[in-house]
Amino acid sequence: MANRMISFGYEAVNGKIVVVPTEAEIVKQIFAAYLSGRILKEIAADLTERGVVFFENKSVWNKNNVVRIIQNGKYIGENGYPTIVDKDSFEQANRKKNDKGHKKNKLPEIIEYLKSTVYCGDCGKLFHRRVAWGTREKWYCSDSCKCGKYIDDNYIFCGIKKVLSAVCENPQLLYKESSEPTYTKTQEIMRYTNEIGRFMNERTPSFKAVKKLIMECASLKFSACTYNANDTIAAFIAEQLSKEQEYASKEFLRKIIERINVHKDGMLTIRFLGGIEISETEIGGLSGSAS
């Protein structure tokens, strides 16, 4: 990034340093964001996303740019510069910056859980959560897929609750028909079936021989069956939902949900245990939060 001869937030007019109002507002926002708990990387990412120009049409920020602003004493009037930031805020921000033990504010457990569970329904990449000053938090695709809705915490919570409430009221939504056959007739089974038929067509069939063939054929048929666990899983999910009221704890959601997909239209699809998927589109209506 190009170097500025005059600090961000100022310009020279007729040989005098004056404040650039639009840039000064950004400086104030940076201090406010840092003091509210945002880390340098998040602040830089937000400035870049917003297209804030630093110098000569360059709008790609990094944490070093943000640090230089936080540590720049000119913003509190040093060297004759006009004041942009009050001294108390400047000192607080720099104490915080110099505190090596400073750690990012810990997020609630449910948010940490969602950060590893919410994905883009189009490209399959994990969603990221960013908090910007002056606005609510924002969830977005890490691969830059665009979404037609502003996704915040409440939007996701409402979408989850909407799907879970619908499933609780109508558990049959969980019982999906399996596309895979649960029984496949083999050549061996066909041979035994034909042999049994031949014996039964005899005038005096041997009871012992037919019985033996029938038992062996039944055993082969049983071995050719595959177990479909979907109904068992669906029953488990329905039971868990019937016991829960808020659907808002990490422990509960972990029991029944494998993944949450957010699509371009803002609709959520929940993938339950066993790969059972139910979307907001299936149950109708709009998501809980709009922008």
Side-chain angles (χ1 to χ4, degrees), residues 110-125:
I110 185 66
I111 298 297
E112 291 291 359
Y113 162 75
L114 290 175
K115 286 174 68 175
S116 64
T117 312
V118 179
Y119 288 80
C120 175
D122 297 287
C123 75
K125 294 291 183 66

Side-chain angles (χ1 to χ4, degrees), residues 245-258:
Q245 298 295 324
E246 297 299 324
Y247 310 141
S249 74
K250 179 185 77 171
E251 291 74 17
F252 170 70
L253 296 180
R254 229 177 197 168
K255 284 182 184 178
I256 62 172
I257 293 177
E258 291 182 348

Side-chain angles (χ1 to χ4, degrees), residues 167-203:
V167 173
C168 185
E169 292 176 8
N170 182 14
Q172 289 303 313
L173 291 168
L174 294 166
Y175 294 86
K176 308 281 187 177
E177 289 187 11
S178 175
S179 59
E180 296 185 6
T182 56
Y183 169 70
T184 304
K185 185 183 289 187
T186 65
Q187 291 291 327
E188 188 76 355
I189 292 172
M190 293 174 65
R191 187 177 70 79
Y192 266 81
T193 301
N194 292 335
E195 189 70 10
I196 292 169
R198 187 180 65 78
F199 265 91
M200 295 301 293
N201 287 329
E202 292 182 356
R203 287 188 176 182

Side-chain angles (χ1 to χ4, degrees), residues 67-118:
V67 168
R68 283 197 289 270
I69 285 177
I70 290 173
Q71 294 178 332
N72 192 341
K74 293 173 183 176
Y75 296 124
I76 56 172
E78 291 182 4
N79 300 325
Y81 274 70
T83 300
I84 291 177
V85 178
D86 65 87
K87 189 175 182 180
D88 185 53
S89 296
F90 181 84
E91 290 178 349
Q92 284 186 51
N94 279 274
R95 279 198 300 270
K96 181 177 178 180
K97 176 67 185 69
N98 294 330
D99 180 7
K100 294 182 179 180
H102 168 65
K103 295 182 180 179
K104 183 181 178 182
N105 291 342
K106 188 176 181 181
L107 292 170
E109 283 190 346
I110 185 66
I111 298 297
E112 291 291 359
Y113 162 75
L114 290 175
K115 286 174 68 175
S116 64
T117 312
V118 179

